[in-house]
Amino acid sequence: GAGVSQSPSNKVTEKGKDVELRCDPISGHTALYWYRQSLGQGLEFLIYFQGNSAPDKSGLPSDRFSAERTGGSVSTLTIQRTQQEDSAVYLCASSLGLGYYEQYFGPGTRLTVT
Amino acid sequence: GESVGLHLPTLSVQEGDNSIINCAYSNSASDYFIWYKQESGKGPQFIIDIRSNMDKRQGQRVTVLLNKTVKHLSLQIAATQPGDSAVYFCAETPSGNQFYFGTGTSLTVIP
């Protein structure tokens, strides 16, 4: 079946602009996760959703970052007033639910802030 | 914050040899550990997991060992193949909600 999809695959934006990154999880997966991966680094946990709610937003790097999920499916990660240090690959993953530890990752969105 | 680290950032092995990738973690409360494989340009792919009440788990050509006394995790790949070349990450979770990943080890298989 279809896996996790993310769009766009690549995004180049100018410093100060806002960007929206989209994640389509696997159908039926109620848990959704966002991570950031800088070049040559591990994954930095940003936020997770169970259904439409995000119980813990403390992983978001700053208040320029926000995420939402509607209808228990698609999620968007928004970065306002982008900075060069925001350049990274943003990965989305989904799982059957909290407590189901196997996460399925999308291919990521490569964000470049110039 | 959490700290999950790897002993070796790069590893090269001959095709057919066994590979061992190590990982250290810091949170004694973590009760679930996962190994992921990430190929270039792709998202991480689940390989194998282990719960804290186990010290060894085997999959197809892979074995994960957990030593909670020294907070050490390892991934063993038997008869390494060129398709195993990738970056390998360990991850831990104390709660099943937040997952903490290590920096990764880049495995190169020499034909």
Side-chain angles (χ1 to χ4, degrees):
Chain A
V4 177
S5 62
Q6 293 185 246
S7 61
S9 55
N10 281 284
K11 176 71 176 178
V12 180
T13 190
E14 292 181 351
K15 177 182 173 181
K17 296 287 179 71
D18 297 350
V19 295
E20 269 192 7
L21 312 179
R22 175 186 169 110
C23 173
D24 276 276
I26 293 173
S27 178
H29 281 194
T30 62
L32 185 147
Y33 308 80
W34 282 100
Y35 296 87
R36 178 169 70 174
Q37 185 174 30
S38 300
L39 185 63
Q41 299 296 312
L43 280 68
E44 175 189 4
F45 173 85
L46 298 179
I47 193 170
Y48 75 91
F49 289 87
Q50 174 57 39
N52 290 336
S53 68
D56 184 355
K57 301 180 180 180
S58 62
L60 295 174
S62 75
D63 58 9
R64 296 185 294 105
F65 287 71
S66 63
E68 65 175 16
R69 189 181 187 195
T70 55
S73 181
V74 172
S75 176
T76 55
L77 177 70
T78 301
I79 308 174
Q80 295 178 309
R81 305 181 303 281
T82 51
Q83 303 295 313
Q84 288 187 331
E85 61 262 30
D86 300 333
S87 296
V89 175
Y90 290 82
L91 290 159
C92 173
S94 70
S95 72
L96 283 169
L98 295 181
Y100 290 87
Y101 298 121
E102 185 169 348
Q103 297 180 26
Y104 297 81
F105 281 83
T109 293
R110 181 175 296 278
L111 175 66
T112 303
V113 182
T114 61
Chain B
E2 300 291 340
S3 174
V4 181
L6 294 173
H7 293 309
L8 295 173
T10 61
L11 178 65
S12 295
V13 298
Q14 286 291 140
E15 181 178 358
D17 286 352
N18 297 335
S19 302
I20 299 177
I21 300 171
N22 296 303
C23 178
Y25 65 94
S26 61
N27 189 346
S28 300
S30 289
D31 65 356
Y32 188 78
F33 305 86
I34 314 115
W35 281 100
Y36 285 92
K37 173 186 180 183
Q38 187 175 28
E39 296 174 290
S40 180
K42 298 182 180 180
Q45 180 183 10
F46 174 94
I47 302 173
I48 192 169
D49 57 5
I50 189 168
R51 289 193 178 275
S52 60
N53 61 353
M54 303 171 67
D55 55 17
K56 180 179 180 179
R57 189 163 187 222
Q58 288 184 290
Q60 186 176 16
R61 284 201 307 118
V62 294
T63 300
V64 55
L65 299 177
L66 175 63
N67 185 331
K68 291 203 74 179
T69 302
V70 296
K71 298 179 191 168
H72 184 268
L73 192 68
S74 68
L75 176 71
Q76 300 178 1
I77 305 174
T80 315
Q81 303 169 359
D84 295 328
S85 293
V87 176
Y88 290 81
F89 294 96
C90 63
E92 60 168 323
T93 179
S95 64
N97 300 335
Q98 296 189 5
F99 291 78
Y100 301 95
F101 282 72
T103 306
T105 291
S106 177
L107 174 66
T108 300
V109 181
I110 304 167

